[in-house]
């Protein structure tokens, strides 16, 4: 999706082409949904570890069907929420200076609502779940066998790595958020606003994709 946006941007600048169309608007909405699902994948991993460690005796939570159905439910819910937010606010529009469709970064209600649903909400849930798991493991430390302690030490190591990645992704958003705050204060839009904001997003998508593959082999 980001590659398509980059190609459109280059073609637009080189040949002054316009890609303003209904398919472009659709791709803008799709990009936001896919970005949200990428962050929800980390939330799913956190939920899986919560069930595996804290509620390991509950067979219903251990069911394979649950983890097959859960992503489908998340896609439906996430899409409905984002559409309910973005459509009334006309959130996704064609950016003539960048030649692709994306939520308008100067539409403050739209971009803040989207950021909360796509990133801030999952980030807070992930942090809460891992803090709860860490607390649970420490409370159970005195009544566990050596094998269980070694396994949970390994889980804690993976948790720390995941939190480091998520925190780095949070830091990557600081430049873009700073420019958005400056726009709110001054009312003047930086011509490079979209590119500065989307550059960390592209890095985070690439990083999260690699990280998800890496952590799949450490479950």
């Amino acid at each position: 999706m980001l590659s398509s946006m980059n190609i459109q941007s280059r073609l637009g600048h080189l040949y002054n082409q316009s890609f303003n169309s209904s398919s472009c608007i659709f791709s803008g909405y799709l990009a936001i949904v896919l970005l949200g699902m990428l962050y929800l994948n980390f939330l799913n991993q956190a939920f899986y570890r919560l069930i595996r460690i804290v509620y390991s005796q509950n067979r219903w939570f251990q069911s394979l069907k649950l983890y097959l159905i859960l992503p489908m439910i998340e896609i439906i819910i996430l899409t409905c929420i984002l559409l309910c937010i973005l459509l009334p606010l006309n959130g996704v529009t064609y950016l003539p200076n960048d030649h692709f469709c994306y939520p308008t970064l100067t539409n403050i209600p739209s971009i803040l609502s989207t950021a909360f649903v796509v990133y801030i909400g999952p980030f807070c849930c992930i942090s809460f779940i891992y803090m709860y798991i860490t607390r649970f493991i420490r409370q159970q430390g005195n009544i566990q066998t050596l094998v269980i302690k070694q396994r949970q030490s390994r889980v804690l190591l993976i948790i720390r790595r995941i939190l480091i990645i998520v925190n780095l992704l949070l830091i990557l958003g600081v430049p873009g958020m700073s420019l958005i705050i400056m726009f709110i204060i001054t009312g003047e839009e930086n011509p490079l606003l979209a590119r500065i904001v989307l550059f960390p997003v592209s890095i985070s998508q690439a990083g999260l994709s690699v990280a998800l593959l890496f952590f799949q082999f450490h479950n």
Side-chain angles (χ1 to χ4, degrees), residues 8 17-20 24-25 92-96 99-102:
Q8 288 185 12
Q17 292 186 12
S18 175
F19 298 94
N20 189 7
C24 178
I25 298 295
V92 176
T93 59
Y94 179 72
L95 306 178
H99 304 283
F100 57 79
C101 296
Y102 203 74

Side-chain angles (χ1 to χ4, degrees), residues 106 108 179-190 193:
T106 54
I108 303 304
L179 289 177
I180 292 176
I181 293 173
M182 289 176 60
F183 169 76
I184 296 174
I185 297 174
T186 63
E188 297 181 1
E189 179 184 358
N190 190 306
L193 177 60

